[in-house]
């Protein structure tokens, strides 16, 4: 984005909304350069992808194929995991991994940390 544009992200978002306007909330969600195309059945999904790519081509926009993912069952979008049956915030998944790691810690490590703590009774003696 050019250095002189202070509102470049907002302008880009507005442009993307304008280009994909007729498909927004029906088959596509857009946030800046992230585009999610969603469908209920596979055959319909192929048609939706074609429609969106045609709109991008008409607007002379180029996509980088190496950054694209097609036919994903689960994706990460705006700090959420998007699945077939709903959304899940990423921080909940990270919290679950942390809790699982604590639970799975070896008992020896927990025992040695308890031994390192000095009780008030021992300090008095």
């Amino acid at each position: 984005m050019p250095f002189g544009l202070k509102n470049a992200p907002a302008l880009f978002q507005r442009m993307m909304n304008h280009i994909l306007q007729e498909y927004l909330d029906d088959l596509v969600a857009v946030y800046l350069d992230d585009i999610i195309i969603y469908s209920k059945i596979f055959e319909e999904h192929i048609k939706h992808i074609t429609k969106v790519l045609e709109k991008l081509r008409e607007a002379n926009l180029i996509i980088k194929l190496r950054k694209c993912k097609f036919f994903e069952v689960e994706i990460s979008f705006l700090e959420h995991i998007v699945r077939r049956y709903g959304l899940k915030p990423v921080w909940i998944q990270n919290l679950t991994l942390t809790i699982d790691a604590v639970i799975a810690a070896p008992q020896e490590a927990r025992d040695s940390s308890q031994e390192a703590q000095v009780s008030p009774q021992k300090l008095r003696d």
Side-chain angles (χ1 to χ4, degrees), residues 33-48:
D33 61 346
D34 290 331
I35 302 171
I36 293 184
I37 304 168
Y38 49 88
S39 311
K40 292 184 179 182
I41 55 176
F42 183 78
E43 291 79 14
E44 183 180 62
H45 193 61
I46 293 173
K47 291 177 185 175
H48 291 170

Side-chain angles (χ1 to χ4, degrees), residues 6-118:
K6 292 181 180 178
N7 296 329
L11 291 172
F12 188 78
Q13 180 67 49
R14 187 172 180 187
M15 178 190 70
M16 293 301 292
N17 287 345
H18 179 73
I19 291 168
L20 298 172
Q21 176 180 341
E22 66 183 279
Y23 303 134
L24 286 177
D25 300 326
D26 289 331
L27 58 102
V28 69
V30 179
Y31 181 73
L32 296 176
D33 61 346
D34 290 331
I35 302 171
I36 293 184
I37 304 168
Y38 49 88
S39 311
K40 292 184 179 182
I41 55 176
F42 183 78
E43 291 79 14
E44 183 180 62
H45 193 61
I46 293 173
K47 291 177 185 175
H48 291 170
I49 291 172
T50 304
K51 288 178 181 181
V52 170
L53 292 178
E54 284 175 2
K55 281 290 186 183
L56 295 174
R57 184 183 319 148
E58 288 171 13
N60 293 321
L61 294 177
I62 299 169
I63 60 169
K64 292 184 179 179
L65 194 57
R66 64 180 163 77
K67 292 187 173 185
C68 296
K69 295 180 180 180
F70 294 97
F71 309 109
E72 296 286 318
V73 177
E74 178 180 293
I75 59 169
S76 176
F77 184 69
L78 300 177
E79 296 298 319
H80 286 76
I81 303 296
V82 181
R83 298 180 177 160
R84 183 177 191 172
Y85 300 109
L87 299 173
K88 179 180 179 183
V90 170
W91 66 268
I92 289 177
Q93 182 177 3
N94 293 340
L95 179 64
T96 304
L97 293 174
T98 305
I99 291 169
D100 289 345
V102 170
I103 291 171
Q107 184 65 37
E108 301 155 8
R110 284 183 261 169
D111 291 342
S112 65
S113 68
Q114 289 173 356
E115 290 172 8
Q117 296 175 358
V118 179

